[in-house]
Structure formats: structure tokens, C-alpha cells
Amino acid sequence: MSARSQFLSGYLLSSTALVGVTAGALALWTAQVNPASAACDINLPTEGQTVTCIDADVTGVYAANDERNITVVLSPSASIDAPADDGIDLNGSSNVTLNSGSSVNGLGSYDAIRFSDGDIAYSGSSTVTLNDASASAQYGNVLDVQLGAGVGYTKGSYTGDSFTLSASKSNLSNNYYPGGYSTADAVKVDTGVYIEFGVGSTTEATAGDITVDFSETKLNSYGNGLNLKSIGYAKGLYDASANGGAVSVELSQNSSINTKFYGAGKNGGGTGILVTTGGVAKTKYGEYDDNYAGSYAGMISIGL
């Protein structure tokens, strides 16, 4: 019996006044105390808010453009199954935590969890943490993190958002589109910085770091398992520097990444871990000896 049910039962036994309430009125009072739509306390969070989900939610959690620093926490056994959009859709500098027995599921071609709207003006960090939980997608990405940020004309130095995915005793999986000719990656991350043209004397782009840490966690996908991209691109007038971010993947305690093949004559069986990092720097007036264009690779660390 739940705490609310115990309270209601005790109150009925101790109060003769409430015994006389009609069944219809009592049912209405009970519904108002625990409305079915109250699974997540905020479905459209704004800057700096924390969302807590305690039950089954079919609406999802969505941040408007430019609303950052949002935290979403799923309590044990809570779930999000939004049929008309991604399960959770946030901007940069935000965090998602799934606790014991909780889940987020992307239905149809929607993603389970999505981050977007990277902004080179912030250089923040975002995290997704699964503790004995699950995230899945039917035909979309389990996790789609598009924090790569681009700008046309600018000057100065910029660093992209970093991203960390930590999972313990958890499961991540997606399926293939009916017909079996295409599928999404399970985890797709882009933390790059792309400066199309620097108008100052120095232009520098540094991609954000990416960290994946699995412990007793299984990832199954019909596309790529982990598709991690951290590219710095800078084009300047006289000087330009571009740096790839550091990408670290650690699988421990019987963790695994499995990419599946969906049948003879059909595409499938993506790469388990696909990492792209590095820098591309160019200068417009590169013919002068005193100009400088430096491109630097990022660091890749994979522990199994």
C-alpha cells in the first residue's frame, strides 16, 4: 500500500465526518491529489530549472532555444515514452540522470535523449548518467548530442561544449527502420567548433572533449555503437589555429558494444567505436611567410 493510500485509509477510520462523503466526491478528491499527468513536474523547463520525473510520462521534456543549464532527474522506476517527439530534448550545459529501474524510450524515428543548440559563446559541459537504467530507440538515436557550434565571421578563441556519458549496470539499444536499409547510431556525439572566417588577427577553434565510461553496461545497435566527433576548424585572415578535442572511451566490468547485422542483402552492422578528432586550420593570406596555420590532432584513449 502506498503512503498516500495508507494516509487515506487511516483518515477514513478515524474521521466520522469523512465517512459520510459520497463515493463520487471521494474519487474526485483522490484524482486531484495524484493527477495522471504529474509524472514529470516540468515538461517545458527554462534556464536553470530542475525537472524531476517520478512516474510514467508520455509528454517528454523539452527546452526552448537558448534555455541552458537544465537538469532532468528520473526517480527509480520512472519512465518517459513520448510518442510525438524525442523523449528528452535539451540544449548545452545541461544534465540528465536516470536512476534505478528508470527508462527513456524514443518511439518511431525519434531519439530517446537529444542535446542540441551548441553555442561557442558558453563553452559549457553536459552529462548523461545512467545508474541501473535503460535508454532505447526504435529507429532513432538512443543519444543524439549535437553540441557542435559554427559561426560565420568572428574573432578570438573559442572552445566547444564538452560531453560525458556515464553508465553503470545499464542498457542502451536501438533497432533498424522497417525494411532494413538504414538505421541511426546508438550514441552520436559532435562537440566541434567551426569558424568559417576569422576577421581578427588570431582565430582559434578548440573542439570540446568527449568522455564515455561504461561499467557493467550493454550497448546494442544496428548502426554505429559510439559515433564520436570532436573537430576544430578555423579559417583566419593571417593566423589560425584548430585543435581537436580529447576523446576517451572506457569499458569495464563486462561492458560490451554490439553492432548487429539485419539480414542478407541489406545494410547493417555498423562500427562499434568510431572516433573522429583533429584540427583543420587555414589562412586566407597563406602565401606570406609570417602567417601561421596550426592544425592539431585530438587525443584518443580507449580502454577495454
Side-chain angles (χ1 to χ4, degrees), residues 179-181 261-267:
Y181 295 103
F261 182 65
Y262 26 85
K266 299 178 181 180
N267 299 322

Side-chain angles (χ1 to χ4, degrees), residues 112-296:
I113 302 172
R114 176 177 171 81
F115 286 74
S116 58
D117 192 29
D119 191 325
I120 60 176
Y122 287 93
S123 301
S125 62
S126 298
T127 66
V128 172
T129 304
L130 290 83
N131 299 311
D132 191 19
S134 66
S136 67
Q138 284 183 291
Y139 321 129
N141 306 107
V142 178
L143 185 58
D144 188 5
V145 181
Q146 299 302 312
L147 296 177
V151 65
Y153 288 79
T154 189
K155 59 182 178 180
S157 301
Y158 296 92
T159 301
D161 283 20
S162 64
F163 178 75
T164 299
L165 168 61
S166 300
S168 175
K169 299 181 180 179
S170 297
N171 292 281
L172 300 90
S173 64
N174 72 342
N175 211 323
Y176 62 88
Y177 191 79
Y181 295 103
S182 64
T183 193
D185 300 326
V187 176
K188 183 178 181 180
V189 182
D190 182 355
T191 58
V193 172
Y194 309 92
I195 300 176
E196 293 298 329
F197 197 78
V199 296
S201 60
T202 300
T203 302
E204 183 176 21
T206 301
D209 297 336
I210 302 172
T211 302
V212 177
D213 188 357
F214 285 174
S215 174
E216 296 184 72
T217 291
K218 311 296 183 184
L219 185 154
N220 296 286
S221 176
Y222 282 87
N224 296 309
L226 300 176
N227 186 353
L228 312 177
K229 184 178 181 181
S230 181
I231 298 290
Y233 175 91
K235 182 177 180 181
L237 278 173
Y238 301 100
D239 296 292
S241 178
N243 308 279
V247 179
S248 173
V249 178
E250 184 74 26
L251 307 181
S252 62
Q253 299 293 317
N254 297 316
S255 295
S256 64
I257 296 176
N258 301 304
T259 57
K260 301 178 181 179
F261 182 65
Y262 26 85
K266 299 178 181 180
N267 299 322
T271 302
I273 303 175
L274 177 61
V275 176
T276 308
T277 183
V280 179
K282 301 179 180 180
T283 59
K284 181 176 181 180
Y285 300 115
E287 64 271 20
Y288 298 109
D289 292 338
D290 59 350
N291 292 334
Y292 175 76
S295 302
Y296 302 95

